[in-house]
Amino acid sequence: MPEPIEQTNEATRLPAELQKAHDGFLRYMALERERSEHTLRAYGSDIGNLYAYAIPRGATTLAGLDLTLLRAWLMALQESGLARATLARRSATIRSFLTWAVREELIATNPAIRLKSPKREQRLPHILQNNQIERIFKPVPEPQGTPEGKAPEPTREQLALADRDKLILELLYATAIRVGELVSLDINDVDLDRRTLRVIGKGNKERTVPFGQPAMNAVDNWLRRARPALRTDDSGHALLLGRRGKRLDARQARQVVSDALAALGDTAARGPHSLRHSAATHLLDRGADLRAVQEILGHSSLATTQLYTHVSVERLKESYQRAHPRA
């Protein structure tokens, strides 16, 4: 049984060589590979987890991170019950980190090349059915009040937040963009005449994504009526705003989607990626070209987009089994 992994103690000073390598790698990934802040935090966390395991075991230099130690670290992670996707990501991070260290001549060879990590589980995402999509976008019923009297009128701020939440759902499903891409949008990224968004995706790659009439109506309503009710001097050019007028953060947007999906009561789908998965699958179900969907999603590899064709095939099989007399 491998030894447990200690919790990282941020107050503990790292050995100088390890700290310098950690900072140098993240700087390289930020400046030369243009990785997002979210990705950089994940890299830093993965390297920090390895350091927390290695240092108490005497590995205080990069050379000390040998194959034996890396295998023991990965085994300890596996025994701790981490998901295979997390194990795969952490081992991939360390391979990239040590590959960079070899290129920078900080170590002679990369022991992580021989590190085998578990394959990611190919789980098919939860997809919303058409009737569930329709219910998400149904207007919220007006409050009926109490026996004591009529319900209080919603405030201007409450109305604005309701319009914003509707826009979040509309844009995520209409465009299949990621939640990080959504909250990064500025007003001038929206072209209402052409009904398109200018989106900056992973690797700082730009793409243009179309959207339909319902989303256009939601954007127009937000810009004309709702956004001015939340706007402050801190709003800048951000398209979506929080309650205090600053740019909406991804956590708030995720909560809006999770609440809307939970309110359906008949789906295991949760979070913004469920809307992205659903939009991609529905496009392919209705005959959209795979490469066009790849462009909309911002996938660098067509193989990633092909996952959604598998979803469509599985849905077809389920329908066949339910409906065909001789299935």
Side-chain angles (χ1 to χ4, degrees):
M1 175 80 63
E3 300 174 64
I5 297 177
E6 296 85 351
Q7 295 293 319
T8 302
N9 183 354
E10 295 184 0
T12 303
R13 292 180 62 86
L14 290 174
E17 180 179 324
L18 295 184
Q19 184 69 65
K20 184 178 179 181
H22 169 278
D23 296 346
F25 175 70
L26 294 185
R27 189 163 50 249
Y28 162 76
M29 298 305 287
L31 299 179
E32 297 192 35
R33 301 297 298 275
E34 298 182 331
R35 294 296 187 256
S36 69
E37 290 185 13
H38 174 77
T39 301
L40 294 174
R41 282 195 298 271
Y43 287 156
S45 173
D46 293 343
I47 296 170
N49 185 275
L50 173 60
Y51 283 179
Y53 181 86
I55 293 171
R57 292 162 178 78
T60 58
T61 65
L62 287 178
L65 304 178
D66 58 22
L67 182 59
T68 299
L69 184 136
L70 293 178
R71 283 174 172 166
W73 167 67
L74 200 59
M75 180 63 69
L77 289 175
Q78 191 167 3
E79 291 292 334
S80 71
L82 284 183
R84 283 197 288 176
T86 304
L87 295 175
R89 189 202 73 208
R90 286 191 171 174
S91 57
T93 295
I94 299 309
R95 273 194 293 274
S96 297
F97 172 52
L98 295 180
T99 296
W100 168 86
V102 170
R103 188 165 56 247
E104 294 296 311
E105 299 183 351
L106 302 177
I107 53 176
T109 60
N110 179 1
I113 290 176
R114 297 171 59 194
L115 185 66
K116 293 183 179 180
S117 58
K119 293 183 179 180
R120 291 175 181 265
E121 294 174 297
Q122 281 289 77
R123 292 182 180 176
L124 297 178
H126 292 292
I127 302 300
L128 294 170
Q129 304 299 318
N130 291 331
N131 70 315
Q132 293 170 325
I133 290 293
E134 291 173 5
R135 283 158 50 205
I136 280 182
F137 295 117
K138 276 187 178 178
V140 178
E142 293 291 334
Q144 298 301 310
T146 65
E148 290 76 22
K150 187 179 179 182
E153 291 290 331
T155 65
R156 186 167 181 244
E157 179 187 270
Q158 289 171 330
L159 290 171
L161 291 172
D163 286 340
R164 182 207 63 191
D165 293 352
K166 175 178 172 58
L167 177 59
I168 290 171
L169 297 169
E170 287 281 8
L171 281 181
L172 285 173
Y173 179 67
T175 63
I177 60 177
R178 304 174 179 93
V179 69
E181 296 168 344
L182 174 75
V183 298
S184 298
L185 290 171
D186 287 335
I187 293 173
N188 59 8
D189 291 325
V190 183
D191 187 334
L192 285 177
D193 292 332
R194 298 174 58 202
R195 294 200 308 211
T196 59
L197 294 180
R198 185 177 71 94
V199 179
I200 306 299
K202 290 184 176 181
N204 208 30
K205 294 179 181 177
E206 180 179 322
R207 68 187 190 277
T208 299
V209 182
F211 56 85
Q213 187 68 44
M216 190 189 81
N217 294 340
V219 173
D220 183 58
N221 180 63
W222 165 252
L223 292 176
R224 285 190 301 103
R225 186 184 75 175
R227 188 179 183 278
L230 299 176
R231 185 179 57 217
T232 68
D233 292 340
D234 296 323
S235 299
H237 299 292
L239 175 64
L240 294 171
L241 304 178
R243 186 182 297 273
R244 297 182 180 178
K246 295 183 179 180
R247 182 184 294 275
L248 185 72
D249 66 41
R251 178 186 57 80
Q252 293 170 301
R254 288 190 188 97
Q255 191 61 53
V256 169
V257 179
S258 292
D259 289 347
L261 293 175
L264 289 176
D266 58 356
T267 178
R270 289 292 181 271
H273 246 61
S274 295
L275 293 180
R276 178 172 163 87
H277 293 322
S278 298
T281 303
H282 294 166
L283 282 168
L284 290 168
D285 281 348
R286 288 160 177 76
D289 178 73
L290 186 63
R291 290 199 177 274
V293 175
Q294 177 191 7
E295 179 65 24
I296 290 172
L297 296 174
H299 286 160
S300 57
S301 169
L302 190 63
T304 306
T305 315
Q306 284 175 328
L307 169 64
Y308 297 101
T309 64
H310 301 159
V311 175
S312 294
V313 169
E314 289 303 313
R315 283 156 56 93
L316 178 62
K317 287 180 179 177
E318 290 174 8
S319 298
Y320 182 88
Q321 291 293 334
R322 287 195 306 266
H324 199 286
R326 296 178 67 82

